[in-house]
Amino acid sequence: MPEPRSGSRPTLEAVAALAGVSRATVSRVVNGGDGVRPHLADRVRTAIQELGYIPNHAARTLVTRRTGAVAVIIPEPEARVFSDPFFSRQIRGISKELTAHDTQLVLLLVEDHGDYERIERYLAGGHVDGALAFSLHTDDPLPAIAGRLGMPTVYGGRPGWTAGPGEQDRVTYVDADNREGARDAVRHLLAQGRRRIAHICGPLDQTSAADRLSGYRDVLPAAGQELVAPGDFTAAGGARAMAELLDRDPSIDGVFAGNDLMATGALRVLRERGRTVPGDVAVVGFDDAEPVAESADPPLTTVRQDIEGMGRMMARLLMERLGGGHEGRSVPGPVITETALVRRASA
């Protein structure tokens, strides 16, 4: 960017003088307003570039009543957010879309329940125009906080909380077809000749884990509880669950893990127990989040969901909502994306 002509920061008036237009015209161009003829707007933009003018953010906020920032809220501890590639992929998608709309991303994490008071104060302070929230649990207070504040919000994942009268129709969310993806995983294991198929599930207070368990049971309605164990969406949790399942039933010959991290934990325990994969036990995961599935030993057959694309869609829906206002407009409904089975060496 060119250096300003003088030692002082260029002003709106200086841009107006160079472009030969009024200060009000420059203000409308800078703040994205309508009503400026194209050739005048081009002159203003040329003057802005030549002078190196940078709009005053505080003044712009007063004019537009927009901060140019969006909160991304993840109700998970920092250690999990930065160790699970699912989160980085979703944040990457959100970031790309917000960048395309010249909007800043503000990341807010929840280490414990006391953090919700801090988050509510921040949202109420007018620091952001809207919020994106994902990885919610059924008892999460975030939807109630957003409702009290009137904060435009888009959620990642099917809502698992109880909405008030008429509120469910006003919830916008993006999710994958978790239930059908789970069905595909179990059908694949059956097609490989597996008959004692276990499931390692995620936390059942999250709808993604509950829907994947439901998909497993849709295909194997007679599967007993002894073939299901919780793994909390972590590799360590998947290892614990796999050990527990083998102790209960050594004849297990197939495993559907509710995410790829739990599947890698299961693979480690199977190796330690002397089981070959897929010779003795076939394993299918869920997510196909780089680099976990491809770098697993052996590379993991998994159900792919477009994590980055879902992040972009969440941000796009929120920007549409912010750009057009909600008065007299219907709230966008849920967006459910398809999943696809990716076959690799583990099943």
Side-chain angles (χ1 to χ4, degrees):
M1 181 177 287
E3 291 294 324
R5 289 180 169 178
S6 66
S8 60
R9 179 175 175 171
T11 63
L12 208 65
E13 289 78 9
V15 175
L18 182 60
V21 299
S22 69
R23 185 184 188 280
T25 297
V26 175
S27 179
R28 284 199 295 275
V29 173
V30 168
N31 294 311
D34 299 325
V36 179
R37 284 176 287 179
H39 75 282
L40 293 180
D42 288 342
R43 279 161 48 185
V44 170
R45 295 188 190 100
T46 299
I48 287 172
Q49 185 174 9
E50 185 173 338
L51 291 173
Y53 172 75
I54 300 174
N56 182 287
H57 179 74
R60 185 174 181 176
T61 297
L62 287 173
V63 173
T64 63
R65 298 186 182 276
R66 295 275 297 276
T67 67
V70 163
V72 176
I73 309 171
I74 308 176
E76 300 288 355
E78 179 180 299
R80 182 171 176 219
V81 171
F82 291 109
S83 64
D84 188 337
F86 173 89
F87 295 104
S88 61
R89 293 287 297 278
Q90 189 128 35
I91 292 170
R92 186 188 310 167
I94 290 170
S95 178
K96 285 181 178 178
E97 190 66 27
L98 293 182
T99 297
H101 287 86
D102 193 25
T103 298
Q104 298 299 314
L105 182 158
V106 179
L107 183 62
L108 303 176
L109 304 181
V110 178
E111 286 290 334
D112 55 53
H113 202 79
D115 285 334
Y116 288 105
E117 183 179 347
R118 168 182 58 84
I119 288 174
E120 182 167 8
R121 287 198 309 269
Y122 184 83
L123 297 178
H127 302 291
V128 294
D129 300 316
L132 300 166
F134 60 94
S135 199
L136 271 67
H137 301 255
T138 52
D139 61 348
D140 204 298
L142 272 173
I145 291 172
R148 283 197 301 271
L149 298 177
M151 175 68 62
T153 305
V154 174
Y155 297 95
R158 181 176 64 80
W161 62 88
T162 302
E167 289 181 10
Q168 194 67 46
D169 293 337
R170 296 188 60 80
V171 175
T172 301
Y173 68 92
V174 178
D175 201 358
D177 192 343
N178 292 292
R179 192 163 183 165
E180 183 60 25
R183 293 179 187 131
D184 287 342
V186 179
R187 289 178 188 132
H188 175 72
L189 289 167
L190 287 172
Q192 302 306 304
R194 311 299 167 157
R195 292 297 175 262
R196 295 294 290 169
I197 301 172
H199 176 48
I200 300 175
C201 64
L204 295 180
D205 63 346
Q206 291 187 288
T207 56
S208 58
D211 288 347
R212 292 169 199 176
L213 174 59
S214 294
Y216 165 81
R217 287 181 168 156
D218 288 343
V219 181
L220 297 175
Q225 189 60 39
E226 73 276 4
L227 292 180
V228 177
D232 74 12
F233 280 153
T234 68
R240 287 192 302 270
M242 190 71 255
E244 180 182 332
L245 287 165
L246 289 173
D247 289 342
R248 291 184 202 165
D249 188 346
S251 67
I252 287 171
D253 61 1
V255 177
F256 165 47
N259 78 343
D260 291 345
L261 281 178
M262 294 192 297
T264 62
L267 289 173
R268 176 168 59 81
V269 169
L270 288 168
R271 282 196 303 272
E272 293 170 353
R273 297 286 185 98
R275 310 298 175 89
T276 62
V277 177
D280 297 325
V281 183
V283 179
V284 178
F286 201 110
D287 281 344
D288 199 27
E290 298 173 357
V292 176
E294 289 188 350
S295 62
D297 182 20
L300 187 63
T301 292
T302 186
V303 178
R304 174 182 293 160
Q305 56 175 334
D306 185 2
I307 302 169
E308 187 172 320
M310 290 192 295
R312 293 200 74 145
M313 179 57 69
M314 288 172 62
R316 189 173 305 137
L317 290 172
L318 182 62
M319 298 313 296
E320 289 176 2
R321 185 170 177 175
L322 294 173
H326 251 338
E327 298 77 6
R329 297 179 64 221
S330 61
V331 180
V335 175
I336 308 299
T337 64
E338 294 183 354
T339 59
L341 186 74
V342 180
R343 301 184 182 188
R344 297 194 180 96
S346 70

